[in-house]
Amino acid sequence: MTTLVTSGTGKTGRRVADRLTALGLPVRIGSRSSTPPFDWADRSTWPAALDGVSAVYLAYYPDLAFPGAYDDIKAFTDLAVRNGVRRIVLLSGRGEPEAQASEVPVQESGAEWTIVRCSWFMQNFSEDFLLEPMREGVIALPAADVPEPFVDVDDIADVAAAALSQDGHTGKLYELTGPRLLTFARAAEELSQATGRKISFVRVTPEEYVAAAVAHGLPQAEAESLSAMFTEILDGRNANVSHGVQQALGRPARDFADFARANAHVWKL
């Protein structure tokens, strides 16, 4: 069963692809640089990427909370099922109404579906827009002083790969979080302990965040969407722990302190 892994070079996609490949399962990477190419912004690339595919890991770029995501997910899911896709695993966002709206077309598609609804990624600190700020020692976000149950992307990939390769996950909605709640200030303290460097969290206004993100090379529209998402989602609505990792895999979720220690070398200049 060939699996198309959309956003296949991203944080979750490449890990899912690695796990399926390690199991000896055929994988097609869905990215603009792949052959055939796949681009969420170019629907003409979708049919060739889906040719001969039986399962899909559905990770939308830039985010399901962004404008246009629902229409793309609906159109892609309809096309995928018409082309013979039988199993779909969707990466969704915890506490994001727009993301959860995009779950519905997958659930109503007629395919075997699994929803993997996730909290804030730990790897946002080590592989994404917070990597350089981390190295500079200041995490500046328009986030309230509320706790978040950060989740390890490796846990997400383990759950997604299991749902794609094993029976027993059809019709399941797994909410994935880490095992405990941390504020960004507390996360900064644990990152400081792991690295032996002072790392601080600073709350900024949405306008200050957008200006800084653009100065670091992020497109204006993407910076504004991220800022709006932080302001909306990081308001305390996700200040509780779920046990989706345990439900899906029979083991506990990885802890933030373990992530910090394992990635300490990434933040040292």
Side-chain angles (χ1 to χ4, degrees):
M1 185 166 71
T2 298
T3 299
L4 171 65
V5 178
T6 66
S7 303
T9 58
K11 283 194 292 297
T12 66
R14 72 175 187 273
R15 287 174 165 87
V16 172
D18 287 346
R19 283 158 172 76
L20 295 176
T21 299
L23 292 171
L25 300 174
V27 173
R28 179 174 297 161
I29 301 298
S31 72
R32 290 190 294 269
S33 60
S34 299
T35 303
F38 176 84
D39 187 348
W40 277 115
D42 183 359
R43 295 190 182 189
S44 70
T45 66
W46 298 359
L50 284 165
D51 185 37
V53 166
S54 302
V56 173
Y57 175 63
L58 197 50
Y60 185 78
Y61 179 84
D63 189 274
L64 286 179
F66 280 39
Y70 174 88
D71 291 338
D72 282 345
I73 292 295
K74 177 72 165 65
F76 179 84
T77 301
D78 288 347
L79 178 65
V81 173
R82 288 199 303 271
N83 278 266
V85 169
R86 303 194 303 272
R87 181 171 292 185
I88 300 174
V89 175
L90 174 69
L91 176 68
S92 187
R94 191 170 187 250
E96 299 180 25
E98 297 87 355
Q100 289 162 30
S102 292
E103 296 170 5
V104 177
V106 175
Q107 293 168 320
E108 296 179 346
S109 66
E112 299 174 357
W113 61 266
T114 306
I115 306 297
V116 182
R117 189 187 285 172
C118 303
S119 59
W120 177 284
F121 297 173
M122 295 179 189
Q123 278 75 5
N124 286 336
F125 293 100
S126 60
E127 299 179 21
D128 206 347
F129 53 90
L130 290 179
L131 175 57
E132 288 308 315
M134 279 286 300
R135 288 174 172 168
E136 295 168 2
V138 178
I139 304 168
L141 290 174
D145 187 29
V146 295
E148 175 75 11
F150 302 102
V151 65
D152 194 309
V153 170
D154 284 315
D155 281 341
I156 299 171
D158 286 346
V159 172
L164 287 162
S165 63
Q166 302 170 7
D167 294 329
H169 300 282
T170 299
K172 299 290 183 65
L173 192 160
Y174 296 120
E175 280 210 356
L176 306 188
T177 74
R180 61 192 172 103
L181 296 167
L182 295 91
T183 63
F184 278 90
R186 178 57 190 165
E189 292 175 6
E190 296 200 8
L191 291 164
S192 297
Q193 292 169 7
T195 60
R197 298 173 50 232
K198 176 61 177 175
I199 298 171
S200 303
F201 168 68
V202 177
R203 186 178 183 184
V204 297
T205 66
E207 294 77 16
E208 289 170 334
Y209 174 79
V210 170
V214 171
H216 278 83
L218 202 66
Q220 179 82 22
E222 189 169 339
E224 290 176 352
S225 293
L226 280 172
S227 179
M229 188 167 64
F230 295 148
T231 304
E232 178 183 1
I233 302 303
L234 298 177
D235 62 355
R237 71 183 64 184
N238 287 330
N240 56 84
V241 170
S242 295
H243 302 286
V245 174
Q246 182 74 45
Q247 292 163 1
L249 303 176
R251 64 161 177 81
R254 295 185 179 95
D255 189 74
F256 187 83
D258 296 327
F259 158 79
R261 285 191 294 269
N263 288 275
H265 66 283
V266 173
W267 301 303
K268 294 180 180 178
L269 298 177

